[in-house]
Amino acid sequence: MSNVLLEVRELTTKYVTRFREDVYAVDHVSLKVEEGKTLGIAGESGCGKSTLALSLMGYYFPPLHYISGDILINGKNISKMKPDDIRKSVLGNEIAYIPQAAMNALNPTRRIIHFIEDVMQAHELYITKKDIYNRARELFETLGLPEEVLHKYPVELSGGMKQRTVIAVSVLLLPKVLIADEPSSALDVTSQKMVIKMLRQLMEKGLISSLIFITHELPLLYNVTDDIMVMYAGQIVEKASSKDAVFDPLHPYAKGLMGSIIVPESGLRDVKLTAIPGVPPNLKNPPAGCRFAERCKYVRPDCRTSSVHLRDVNDTRTYRCILPENELRDIYAKEVAQNG
Amino acid sequence: MKQIIQQIFRSGKFIVGFSIFTTILLVVIVYPLLIPDPPLNIIGQGTFFEPGIYVSVFDSISSPQYTLNLDEAAAKRIASKLGEEDRLAIKEWLIASGIPEGEIEIENTEKLLDQWFENYDPAKNIPGMTNAKRNYFIRLNKAITGLLSDEGMSITVKNAETGVLEEKGTIVPSAYVNVNEVPNVRVLPLGTDNFGRDVLTELVAATRVSLQIGFVAGIIATLIGLTLGLLSGYVGGVVDDVIMFITNLFIVIPSFVLLILISFSIGQDQRGAFTIAMVIGFTSWVWTARAVRSQVISLRNRDHVNLSKLSGHSVVHIILTDILPYIASYVVMALILQISSGILAEAGLSILGLGPRTTEVPTLGLMMNWAMIYQAHILGKWWAYFPVIITIALITFSMNLMNTGLDQVFNPALRD
Amino acid sequence: MAVDYIYVEVILRAYRKYFLNKFLWFLVTLVSAFLLNFILPRLMPGDPVAAIVSRLAQGMSNTSGIQAIYEQYTELFGTNKPLLEQFVIYVKNVVQGDFGFSFSQYPRTVADVIKSSIWWTIALQFPAIIVGWLIGNSLGALAAYLRGSFDKVFMPISIFASNLPAFGMAVILMVVFAVTLKWFPTSGGYGFDLIPNFSWKFIWSVIVHYQLPFWSIVLITIGGQAIGMRSMSIYELNADYVKYSRFMGIKDRKIVSYVFRNAMLPQITGLALSIGTMVGGALVAEIIFSYPGLGSTILTAVLGQDYPLISAATLIITIMVLSANFLIEIVYGFLDPRIKAVQAD
Ligand SMILES: Nc1ncnc2c1ncn2[C@@H]1O[C@H](COP(=O)(O)OP(=O)(O)O)[C@@H](O)[C@H]1O
Ligand SMILES: [Mg+2]
């Protein structure tokens, strides 16, 4: 087994809304990412994927608050570090983040190179502007981005170029783990492909060691990731290798979600995850028992009352349901038989 | 809907604004029921009577009298009669009589009078005193002694036949009447204005009229703005270009300039409160039009609108069911803003002498205008203008708070 | 590969386009203002111009003096000619600065009356608005940044202050500082016993008389600007680039400087758009102090039924506001780097 770069144990964080209500958007999440591997995180909108991404950085500001759990990067527990130390030595250096709305991630009134200077100077006090420029130019060259971009304001760049610029800036300090939150949504198909290609490149060229790729567009995941984690209502509901998660999901939610992946390539982008009727529960007061019970085809009375835990199938596979693996498989098999 | 209202009422700012505003509304509605006097009735002969309780002297005399022996009555009586000038004169005399200045407290009436009676001697001559001054001191002494005497005053009535004055009764200094037994007592909590009108009654009526002006102006402006904004945003193309051209034009050309020009041209006789409200409405729709347009543009290509288009619904139907409900909150907020700025616009116009005709109804602006023309602020007659300013500020303040509250609920990006 | 960024060789060209656009728009608004100023009174039921003409025809103005003034006006502006012709004459006269005689201050000309009051207004209002804008924006930014108790105390005060009409603030300042404390004079632009000249005494008197009107406009402006800047800053603080910058480890102080710069830019546009309203409020405040500016001029004109003076004063104010607006847009063009990018599209 190779080196575990990122390990998260029972991480719980919450939002405090304006009306002082608590929203537990990440609820006892544990995960591991090994060196050289890509982890996919899937789930409908509002399931807590973005919040998980933010929480993984270990650097919290309102309305998001840390509750409990550990984040270990390369064995170092960053949840015990002081915020300013995290800022200086973890953010960007160890772990970096590409926000969901990368289009708006750059300060509109600052030239790219000046922003890069701000980033570098926040980590290395004595670096000269000339060094920064050379480093940025080299990186941009490696990633196939034109040097002129450095001198431009974000408004002068197209959407795809902005997205790629953000990616480049994110890996400026050679972080070990990169978290990309829906990096390709809201882009046209060509730009989307380019972005995915670029993320792959980052791994190949050794600019990053591991990638966490968040999306609600499942077709992307199978091609890009090694493992997939499915989130529902702030919790992990299934974690498996990409192949298992896509072709042999256990959790009914994962099954519903992956149902749409078999659709032929062409119209893929338009398949919205309406395969499962209903919407995720409001996390202000999540339902007791299984959080998916409300929408589950196979729901039983005790689903709503008894607490459900993660069941480990093997070392790398786990899911959250009151039913054991064999019973679930039986139900699925019967259903297939019925439908012919 | 219920949930939205609950959310709104969870916003502290909205609640504060709403409470202030409803209180104002309640006062405006209830007060005339309790005191139905016409607001522009001139009740006082003279200008700017101070706030207070006015008791009929005539009725007091014929009311049952009671004797109360109160120790400080005499001193108080004198205290209220002795002016600043008299006190200084007394001090002058006392100093001349050899009392050290430090021992004289001109504000302490009792002590001052004691010292006066001890030291005053009409025969005494202070060096350098003129004859006039001397007579003044004699008069002063007489007045003070008169005030202190226990003798009382007699009430006389002229005999209709003989023309002789006949004593009907006397009023001793210790006689009191019970205010409750005097048939004519008028409370003027805010005194009277320059024309002698009850300021409070006038203020309540003015608030009502100003609110009406604000509402009419706000509704006209919102209707125009909404219509133009919807047309411009939804129809687009040339219609949009033309409407936006006009809107942008009227955004930079200051509306109060148009207001002045129009109000002046309409002429004093034609300017009723309603006309003013209309003019304000017609000159202040631009912001609403702009806001509505940008909202509509962002809605225009949403899925539900497209779906509605595909199902062949008419433009009117789409606007009514697929667009209006989504911008309703903005429109309400715009309306609230328009109402409060309409009230301010009326006030500004009135101060410029371009407000509604002055003979029918008071408005907050007109009251302010009158107070300024008669220099209430320089004369220190605060009750003529200060309540007006406070009322205007409270109305706009409460409406703005409500707006901020709504904004927080509907625009979560602006947290707190 | 598609060209997915825009490359502008000459940034200047973009700037020129921006300024040219703004200038054209300035001209258009100017012409429209002329048109409105001419046409609005003539459309109204009480049309003051027609009233002048009819009173002249009926010989109703019994005093021959007034009759003469009306005649001069009718002749100068050709008020009994067709409308289009009148407009041409009107524009020609106005461009030459000839507005005829003032009805209420005869034999002074309107141009003369305006000339003697306009500088008071300009010297009072524009500095006051700019100072108020600067202070208001700094306080608003501070409130957004510090939050907590500063925000909790400062914001309600600003909201209340900004809801006070300008004349209300003027009256309050006057009663407190002029009537009660007697620190400043109650009214006028200089001591009533002085004749305008360049003596120290006169200048001092002007400065003393300037304070209360100035600060009442400043205070009013502060309230509104602070609220605007505060919510703009909070909005920016929640922007995606702030989150990203934080996660790239950039220091808070730096991020705050991003935020305030970006929040400031819309405030400049806001100033351009609201300067008209501000000037309106300030004119009324002038009246409270009997300041010898255009506000008081309008008041005397209204009281004296002086149509030519009203017409000229409103036109001049409009031109002032439009020019201020234009100037602000030009300044904005230099401050916002995005302008040239957007213009190049
Ligand atoms: N700033 C916030 N304040 C309160 N609740 C929030 C905030 N941001 C997101 N949430 C809530 O947290 C949950 C998870 O949101 P998010 O992480 O954005 O989901 P995803 O990325 O999967 O779409 C949702 O229920 C959402 O309503
Ligand atoms: Mg998300």
Side-chain angles (χ1 to χ4, degrees), chain B residues 89-164:
Chain B
I90 293 178
K91 185 177 176 183
E92 194 185 329
W93 178 280
L94 293 177
I95 291 176
S97 311
I99 305 221
E101 192 168 352
E103 278 179 30
I104 307 170
E105 294 170 46
I106 61 168
E107 292 307 324
N108 184 344
T109 313
E110 213 168 333
K111 191 174 162 201
L112 195 67
L113 286 183
D114 281 349
Q115 288 169 330
W116 170 256
F117 288 125
E118 252 167 54
N119 292 290
Y120 181 67
D121 174 6
K124 195 163 122 187
N125 227 336
I126 297 177
M129 187 166 69
T130 60
N131 218 25
K133 194 84 189 187
R134 185 195 181 87
N135 286 336
Y136 167 80
F137 277 119
I138 293 174
R139 271 200 315 276
L140 182 65
N141 188 46
K142 218 184 233 164
I144 297 173
T145 328
L147 283 170
L148 281 175
S149 82
D150 292 337
E151 274 176 23
M153 282 185 237
S154 42
I155 304 163
T156 60
V157 176
K158 200 183 228 169
N159 188 317
E161 288 161 21
T162 58
V164 176

Side-chain angles (χ1 to χ4, degrees), chain C residues 110-122:
Chain C
V110 169
D112 185 35
V113 175
I114 299 264
K115 228 181 280 166
S116 67
S117 56
I118 186 166
W119 294 112
W120 290 99
T121 290
I122 291 179

Side-chain angles (χ1 to χ4, degrees), chain A residues 3-54:
Chain A
N3 181 21
V4 175
L5 261 189
L6 173 71
E7 181 174 1
V8 176
R9 295 191 204 126
E10 303 285 320
L11 183 62
T12 303
T13 59
K14 70 171 180 188
Y15 287 113
V16 179
T17 68
R18 260 178 305 146
F19 304 116
R20 315 226 179 251
E21 299 153 327
D22 292 343
V23 178
Y24 290 89
V26 171
D27 194 355
H28 293 92
V29 170
S30 302
L31 57 86
K32 274 182 196 165
V33 185
E34 289 167 12
E35 185 158 1
K37 291 283 162 73
T38 300
L39 171 70
I41 299 178
E44 290 162 294
S45 237
C47 283
K49 304 182 301 294
S50 298
T51 313
L52 176 61
L54 299 182

